[in-house]
Amino acid sequence: MSDASTASASDCTHPRTALTEAEVEALVRGICFKTGPPRTVGVELEWLVHELRTPQLPVTPERLEAAYAALRPVHLRSALTVEPGGQLELSSPPAASLMECIGTVSADLDAVRAVLRSDGLDLVGLGHDPWHPPRRFLREPRYEAMEMCLDRTGPAGRHMMCASASVQVCLDAGYEEPGPLGHGRRWWLAHQLGPVLVAAFANSPMAGRRPTGWRSTRQLLWMEIGPGRAGAPPLTGEPRNAWARHVLDAPVMCVRRDGGPWDVPDGLSFRDWTRSRTPRAPTKEDLDYHLTTLFPPVRPRGHLELRMIDAQPGEDGWIVPLAVTTALFDDPQAAETAYRAVKPLAERSQTRPAPHNPLWLDAARTGLGDPELHDAAVGCFAAALEALPRLGAGTEVTDAVAAYFERYVRRGRCPADDLLDDVRALDGRTRLRPAGVHSAHGKDFPV
């Protein structure tokens, strides 16, 4: 939800020119993949904000507001935004190298943490809040409409909005030509490597102080929201065409108004809106806004935004998924190795789009306990480790990736397993009952 607050009600006052269906398709095709040499990298980090000393206690909205007010004058190179539940997000500027990106974001995080800790608060890297129920902090028309829309499919939307956090890696779309750095291959790889990244970095096994039965509860939330809002298009065919069709067929979250509540239509696709022109004809501004309400695991925004990785533990845990993912996409040799490693997994998707297929479900549920995902992760991490020096990564980065490889990946574990071990040590009999109600996938869902 990196761009959740970028569009405002003021957009509604711009001069409006109605769009046709053909114009929508042409616009989407023109902006979603900006091809060329892969040269830049970025990262978007979402963090839960908890009490520094007793994170199990809720932070009051008044304390959050005061802390965020103290952050406003702090000079940062990254964009600092607030998510609906009060999570903080840092979005880096495009960097010319992996190390430049890490240096910029690390300095910004140091500055943000210093302000928060002076008020007794801290940034916490977990994919889903294990202690607190979802509670909306922002009271803006966008989130009123989003909540109303997502509530139609169950509780997953509120959990996603208000109790989840992630590491989102942003990479250039790639060359127009075929090959390991071509945009078609990178688009395919992002969706097939996605389950490996979900499994290797799963870090959200709890909700309501109890295990949910999933290594990545956050990924389960996205699947429960549904394919129209949080799904990918089919991987068959040319990526631009597939994404343009998906955008047109995706449900409209809201129709904005200059004053008063926004309309929240039920079952109206953007294609239908262009044809019916009801309650008014859609405009270019409406299309831009519609694109910000779609949350697939890989979102084309000119560049590719990989959204499937849980927030990571520790102050610098985010560096490992950023480094590994960048290496597997931007180093030609590593990209080819990753392609070969994940290709055997493709048949497990049963040709169904991500993340609503068996492969992604297994990754979220069992992590690297899945033998085939484990084998693929071992091959991909080994390739990333070889590639990182070629990309100019420093010793601290390669050492961090190597340590993660040995601690988790080789052993078929992920950070979620550490959290579950802690729960077992505290009280195995009462805390290991899965929390929740029966979900659409026949699994327990946190409430």
Side-chain angles (χ1 to χ4, degrees):
M1 294 182 59
S2 62
D3 51 4
S5 58
T6 58
S8 68
S10 64
D11 296 332
C12 304
T13 63
H14 292 174
R16 296 179 178 137
T17 302
L19 291 177
T20 66
E21 189 175 332
E23 288 171 333
V24 170
E25 187 165 356
L27 283 168
V28 173
R29 283 175 48 85
I31 64 177
C32 61
F33 293 90
K34 302 292 186 184
T35 52
R39 289 185 177 134
T40 60
V41 59
V43 69
E44 300 170 1
L45 303 179
E46 296 172 344
W47 300 87
L48 304 176
V49 179
H50 286 170
E51 294 282 354
L52 180 61
R53 293 177 179 80
T54 52
Q56 297 85 353
L57 296 178
V59 182
T60 66
E62 293 76 17
R63 288 198 66 207
L64 282 179
E65 184 57 51
Y68 298 161
L71 282 170
R72 290 185 192 115
V74 177
H75 176 71
L76 303 171
R77 290 194 60 199
S78 303
L80 180 66
T81 53
V82 180
E83 294 293 298
Q87 312 97 306
L88 277 187
E89 181 178 60
L90 276 174
S91 301
S92 74
S97 70
L98 172 64
M99 294 307 295
E100 178 185 320
C101 182
I102 291 172
T104 296
V105 177
S106 295
D108 288 343
L109 280 171
D110 287 344
V112 170
R113 284 196 176 97
V115 172
L116 292 178
R117 287 174 177 172
S118 68
D119 196 33
L121 301 175
D122 200 12
L123 299 177
V124 177
L126 288 165
H128 185 271
D129 195 315
W131 299 296
H132 310 117
R135 177 195 65 186
R136 190 150 57 87
F137 172 72
L138 297 180
R139 298 290 170 181
E140 300 173 3
R142 174 183 173 92
Y143 303 119
E144 302 288 343
M146 182 181 292
E147 186 173 274
M148 183 181 300
C149 176
L150 296 179
D151 277 352
R152 290 171 178 156
T153 58
R158 293 196 183 207
H159 281 261
M160 176 275 292
M161 289 172 63
C162 302
S164 70
S166 67
V167 174
Q168 299 174 17
V169 180
C170 300
L171 299 165
D172 288 329
Y175 288 100
E176 192 70 29
E177 302 84 16
L181 299 185
H183 79 282
R185 171 73 72 84
R186 286 162 75 87
W187 178 246
W188 184 93
L189 180 62
H191 290 87
Q192 299 301 341
L193 182 63
V196 177
L197 298 175
V198 169
F201 296 109
N203 187 36
S204 53
M206 296 180 64
R209 300 174 182 261
R210 290 185 294 162
T212 63
W214 295 73
R215 293 301 191 276
S216 178
T217 300
R218 175 183 166 275
Q219 187 57 50
L220 172 62
L221 299 174
W222 286 114
M223 289 185 281
E224 290 288 338
I225 287 170
R229 183 71 53 207
L235 291 181
T236 55
E238 203 278 325
R240 289 186 179 91
N241 293 335
W243 179 245
R245 287 193 298 268
H246 183 75
V247 169
L248 275 163
D249 292 331
V252 174
M253 177 174 284
C254 57
V255 178
R256 297 171 297 160
R257 294 178 178 273
D258 292 321
W262 296 357
D263 292 334
V264 183
D266 190 1
L268 177 72
S269 72
F270 205 91
R271 189 187 303 277
D272 293 338
W273 192 11
T274 63
R275 293 175 177 177
S276 69
R277 303 196 167 202
T278 302
R280 59 171 174 78
T283 67
K284 170 65 164 56
E285 290 75 22
D286 291 318
L287 174 61
D288 292 341
Y289 196 86
H290 177 62
L291 291 170
T292 75
T293 69
L294 304 181
F295 309 113
V298 183
R299 185 160 59 174
R301 304 178 62 195
H303 59 273
L304 301 182
E305 180 184 85
L306 280 70
R307 304 171 50 84
M308 70 287 297
I309 301 169
D310 281 356
Q312 294 297 288
E315 293 191 357
D316 299 324
W318 57 274
I319 293 175
V320 175
L322 171 63
V324 169
T325 307
T326 302
L328 294 177
F329 277 82
D330 286 2
D331 180 84
Q333 184 176 333
E336 191 63 32
T337 300
Y339 173 78
R340 291 196 300 268
V342 301
K343 192 173 183 180
L345 298 172
E347 65 181 30
R348 287 175 59 180
S349 69
Q350 299 179 1
T351 70
R352 293 165 59 184
H356 300 87
N357 63 53
L359 178 61
W360 283 74
L361 284 166
D362 290 342
R365 182 173 49 245
T366 63
L368 293 184
D370 182 289
E372 290 182 312
L373 285 166
H374 175 243
D375 289 346
V378 169
C380 288
F381 268 73
L385 274 170
E386 291 181 3
L388 282 169
R390 296 194 291 267
L391 295 179
T395 303
E396 299 88 350
V397 173
T398 56
D399 286 350
V401 173
Y404 194 97
F405 188 24
E406 296 300 327
R407 178 176 178 177
Y408 293 115
V409 178
R410 281 198 189 278
R411 299 168 62 199
R413 289 174 62 87
C414 58
D417 292 305
D418 289 348
L419 294 170
L420 293 172
D421 287 348
D422 291 342
V423 170
R424 293 185 182 98
L426 286 172
D427 188 355
R429 289 177 299 176
T430 60
R431 292 175 179 259
L432 285 179
R433 288 186 297 112
V437 297
H438 209 52
S439 79
H441 292 294
K443 305 299 177 184
D444 283 319
F445 179 76
V447 294

